[in-house]
Amino acid sequence: DVPEVAVIPGDGIGHEVVPAAVEVLETVGDYAFTEAEAGDATLDETGEALPAETYELAATADATLFGAAGESAADVILPLREAVGSFVNIRPATAYPGVDALRPETDLVFLRENTEGVYAGHEDRLTDDVSTLTRVVTETASRRLGEFACEYVRERPEHDGFTVAHKANVMRETDGLFRDTVLAEAERAGVDADTVLMDAFATHVCLDPDRFDVIVCPNLAGDVLSDLAAGLVGGLGLLPSANVGDERGLFEPVHGTAPDIAGEGVANPAATMLSAAMLVESLGDDDAGDRIRTAVEGVLSDGPRTPDLGGQATTREVTDAVLARL
Amino acid sequence: DVPEVAVIPGDGIGHEVVPAAVEVLETVGDYAFTEAEAGDATLDETGEALPAETYELAATADATLFGAAGESAADVILPLREAVGSFVNIRPATAYPGVDALRPETDLVFLRENTEGVYAGHEDRLTDDVSTLTRVVTETASRRLGEFACEYVRERPEHDGFTVAHKANVMRETDGLFRDTVLAEAERAGVDADTVLMDAFATHVCLDPDRFDVIVCPNLAGDVLSDLAAGLVGGLGLLPSANVGDERGLFEPVHGTAPDIAGEGVANPAATMLSAAMLVESLGDDDAGDRIRTAVEGVLSDGPRTPDLGGQATTREVTDAVLARL
Ligand SMILES: CC(C)[C@H](C(=O)O)[C@@H](O)C(=O)O
Ligand SMILES: CC(C)[C@H](C(=O)O)[C@@H](O)C(=O)O
């Protein structure tokens, strides 16, 4: 039985980088691909940014590769994360040798809670003047993330432990519950863990990214702090991500649709290919994951480069260079 | 009638940098100082981090100069902001010539909403498993901040307009109300304004801080994003801030108590002196504000330096150098 992989290019450069990553997947393994639609163009055509068929496909496929969505991103990506039952968003932020980075020593992994916080989003307009949002933090979701973080660190000898980023000095009950529950899991598992206030993290990661390694955060903190780390490694263009659930996952580059270059055939496919590496690993093929990562990193360090990295190569040329190394 | 200035050193290096800034104030003008206590040591002694007398003093003085507080920071600074009726926290993040900065071109001003958001903080533990926090955004507070931002920009020809940072793609009602209300004020006042998602801001400010100028944000976004900007200018050590209310204000360095160097007489007083410059401006003495800023910047660029800036000078020596330039 060949794993079923749902493929959702979305909008903009999604239509360029996702097919490139699919070629990579076809080279390293045997997968049954099914393509589906989502995003702004789909919204225009069908009245829905995320059609029920696309949701269903992601909810049943063994893994989903997603590109990017435009204005409708939140209406696409948040339900898709739910469709795959994802409880953690893994966001590595690594500077690659040979790629311009503000902090070339940056090598971080964010483990972002993926189900609640402000994203659980119960909002009300109580009066003309007053609006509220109910932020939700549960012990169950915090414990699950903590367990995952412990397993993640223990399976990877390159990581010594993790840091919990939080704002429990202000959000005492909610972030306090998050922090204490994750720390309790670390203690139970015998994993080293410390804590940092999310605002202090924002300063310190700029001054000395080496101070940190794996960062475990609530949902919105993970969103903002991982995007900050993206700035330190030179932009969103190279960052992959994995939305991991118990049975399946959703894999997507951190970048957006890049409307300024969409359709020109010069989008950088690296982040989507690195997301594909995480995808095959989630299907148990660590070997194929390593092969993809090695090939992409090789091309990043001395192969052809797309314009975002200061080169003149096309997506096609970069893809061929990666395929040649596989 | 001499303006009454409340002086609250707090903990740690607060006891070194606040007296240094008071010497500067004494040199540029005539103020009646009253000192009061707050912070961890006060908590140990009296059972309260912020005694009622200190709160009352800040609530009635014309301006308050605050140093830093340790573990009890939230219990000190949040009520003090309320005591002075502050609705906006002004946080300039400027890289100074001659001071090592990750992005030396950084020159930003954050106007942070100072009364609500998650800081309005109604939290509940609904069940053993579930905790909630009710985030509050009102049109009133958003409009007031928007009005202030328009006035701020119009009075300062060096600023062309402002950018509203928000997360309204997820917090649609609350951050949507914030963003739309601030933008409506800009439109009414004829001030240029655009918007950016707070996560995108975190990436882009690292890649190109010149893209931004004045950033208007909700409370927690302002906390984290201004601390990020602090990382770009080389740390918290140089950043002043002003908590502005209608009648009075509270002025404080962005840095903390620095327990590692407290008591050694080598703390950098620059951020507190720059906060004192904002204090005298709030009392209408723009001239004294300029004088303080020019003197501090002069010393930063070619005067004696404390160890945090790679020098060997003491707080006393730096203070004398600043006083000599006044
Ligand atoms: C599009 C948006 C809803 C999303 C998020 O906030 O999670 C994006 O910023 C991301 O990080 O994938
Ligand atoms: C101490 C803490 C409550 C405070 C805040 O979150 O506002 C601090 O981080 C700041 O920015 O002044």
Side-chain angles (χ1 to χ4, degrees):
Chain A
D1 29 297
V2 173
E4 200 190 331
V5 175
V7 174
I8 310 174
D11 295 311
I13 61 166
H15 289 284
E16 297 159 56
V17 294
V18 167
V22 167
E23 288 186 59
V24 166
L25 288 172
E26 283 169 332
T27 308
V28 298
D30 204 10
Y31 305 99
F33 296 102
T34 312
E35 198 166 316
E37 301 206 320
D40 292 358
T42 309
L43 176 63
D44 281 351
E45 282 158 32
T46 70
E48 284 180 314
L50 184 68
E53 309 87 78
T54 305
Y55 183 96
E56 272 311 307
L57 181 69
T60 53
D62 295 305
T64 298
L65 184 66
F66 174 66
E71 292 295 313
S72 60
D75 291 325
V76 173
I77 193 64
L78 301 180
L80 280 180
R81 287 177 186 158
E82 184 199 281
V84 303
S86 173
F87 58 90
V88 56
N89 189 332
I90 309 178
R91 303 195 157 195
T94 304
Y96 290 101
V99 174
D100 255 1
L102 190 56
R103 282 287 185 207
E105 69 274 39
T106 307
D107 187 12
L108 301 168
V109 180
F110 292 86
L111 301 179
R112 168 184 177 189
E113 201 287 319
N114 217 12
T115 65
E116 52 184 36
V118 301
Y119 289 74
H122 302 287
E123 291 192 295
D124 285 296
R125 185 76 174 247
L126 298 183
T127 68
D128 260 7
D129 191 37
V130 180
S131 67
T132 58
L133 179 146
T134 304
R135 178 175 193 263
V136 179
V137 174
T138 66
E139 193 177 334
T140 304
S142 306
R143 189 181 313 117
R144 206 172 181 193
L145 179 64
E147 280 166 10
F148 181 88
C150 292
E151 213 180 287
Y152 187 89
V153 163
R154 294 179 79 164
E155 282 173 1
R156 291 169 178 78
E158 68 271 28
H159 300 299
D160 291 332
F162 59 75
T163 300
V164 184
H166 66 91
K167 188 77 188 177
N169 58 340
V170 171
M171 302 190 277
R172 294 176 188 207
E173 191 72 58
T174 51
D175 266 20
L177 178 62
F178 177 84
R179 179 198 55 195
D180 295 345
T181 305
V182 174
L183 285 180
E185 280 312 308
E187 176 143 12
R188 217 183 44 77
V191 167
D192 278 347
D194 58 6
T195 65
V196 67
L197 288 168
M198 66 182 287
D199 48 332
F201 177 85
T203 305
H204 291 305
V205 74
C206 293
L207 297 178
D208 185 10
D210 272 339
R211 261 178 78 161
F212 303 105
D213 177 8
V214 175
I215 302 103
V216 178
C217 351
N219 208 340
L220 183 60
D223 178 48
V224 177
L225 299 179
S226 65
D227 270 21
L228 156 51
L232 299 180
V233 307
L236 298 166
L238 299 176
L239 301 191
S241 76
N243 298 278
V244 177
D246 281 324
E247 310 280 332
R248 51 183 54 78
L250 168 71
F251 302 85
E252 40 158 350
V254 176
H255 65 64
T257 59
D260 50 322
I261 58 158
E264 293 179 15
V266 295
N268 186 347
T272 313
M273 290 175 177
L274 293 169
S275 303
M278 297 176 92
L279 184 154
V280 297
E281 284 167 355
S282 81
L283 298 173
D285 196 348
D286 286 352
D287 202 53
D290 279 343
R291 284 175 62 206
I292 297 174
R293 208 170 280 118
T294 306
V296 172
E297 288 176 12
V299 171
L300 283 175
S301 86
D302 59 24
R305 284 162 183 246
T306 43
D308 56 306
L309 299 179
Q312 305 200 319
T314 60
T315 310
R316 181 73 263 155
E317 285 161 348
V318 171
T319 306
D320 287 337
V322 171
L323 296 176
R325 287 187 191 237
L326 280 171
Chain B
D1 30 299
V2 173
E4 199 191 332
V5 176
V7 174
I8 310 174
D11 296 311
I13 61 167
H15 289 284
E16 298 159 54
V17 295
V18 167
V22 168
E23 288 186 57
V24 165
L25 288 172
E26 283 169 333
T27 309
V28 298
D30 205 10
Y31 306 100
F33 297 102
T34 312
E35 197 166 316
E37 301 208 319
D40 293 358
T42 309
L43 176 63
D44 281 351
E45 282 158 34
T46 70
E48 285 181 312
L50 185 68
E53 309 88 78
T54 306
Y55 183 97
E56 271 313 306
L57 181 68
T60 52
D62 295 305
T64 298
L65 184 66
F66 174 66
E71 291 295 315
S72 59
D75 291 324
V76 173
I77 194 65
L78 301 180
L80 280 180
R81 287 178 187 157
E82 184 199 281
V84 302
S86 173
F87 57 91
V88 56
N89 189 331
I90 311 179
R91 301 192 159 197
T94 304
Y96 290 101
V99 173
D100 254 2
L102 190 57
R103 283 287 186 209
E105 69 273 42
T106 306
D107 188 12
L108 301 168
V109 180
F110 292 85
L111 301 179
R112 169 184 176 187
E113 200 286 321
N114 218 11
T115 65
E116 52 185 36
V118 301
Y119 288 74
H122 301 287
E123 291 192 294
D124 285 297
R125 185 76 174 247
L126 299 182
T127 67
D128 261 6
D129 192 37
V130 180
S131 67
T132 58
L133 180 148
T134 304
R135 178 175 193 263
V136 179
V137 175
T138 66
E139 194 178 334
T140 304
S142 306
R143 187 180 316 114
R144 203 170 181 195
L145 179 64
E147 279 167 12
F148 181 88
C150 291
E151 213 179 285
Y152 187 89
V153 162
R154 294 178 80 162
E155 283 174 2
R156 292 170 177 77
E158 69 271 28
H159 300 299
D160 292 332
F162 59 76
T163 301
V164 184
H166 66 91
K167 187 78 190 176
N169 59 341
V170 171
M171 302 191 277
R172 294 177 188 204
E173 191 72 56
T174 51
D175 265 21
L177 177 61
F178 178 84
R179 179 198 55 198
D180 294 346
T181 305
V182 174
L183 285 180
E185 279 314 307
E187 175 141 15
R188 216 183 44 77
V191 167
D192 278 346
D194 59 7
T195 65
V196 67
L197 288 167
M198 66 182 286
D199 48 332
F201 178 84
T203 305
H204 292 306
V205 75
C206 292
L207 297 178
D208 185 9
D210 272 338
R211 259 177 81 160
F212 303 103
D213 177 8
V214 175
I215 301 104
V216 178
C217 351
N219 209 338
L220 183 59
D223 177 47
V224 177
L225 300 179
S226 65
D227 269 22
L228 157 51
L232 300 180
V233 307
L236 299 166
L238 299 177
L239 301 191
S241 76
N243 297 279
V244 176
D246 280 324
E247 310 282 331
R248 52 183 53 80
L250 168 70
F251 302 83
E252 41 158 349
V254 176
H255 64 65
T257 58
D260 49 323
I261 58 159
E264 294 179 14
V266 296
N268 186 345
T272 313
M273 291 175 176
L274 293 168
S275 302
M278 297 175 92
L279 185 154
V280 297
E281 284 166 356
S282 81
L283 297 173
D285 196 346
D286 286 352
D287 203 50
D290 279 343
R291 284 176 61 208
I292 298 175
R293 208 171 279 117
T294 305
V296 172
E297 288 175 10
V299 171
L300 282 176
S301 86
D302 59 25
R305 285 163 182 245
T306 42
D308 57 304
L309 299 180
Q312 306 201 318
T314 60
T315 309
R316 181 73 262 154
E317 284 160 350
V318 171
T319 305
D320 287 337
V322 171
L323 296 176
R325 287 187 190 237
L326 280 172

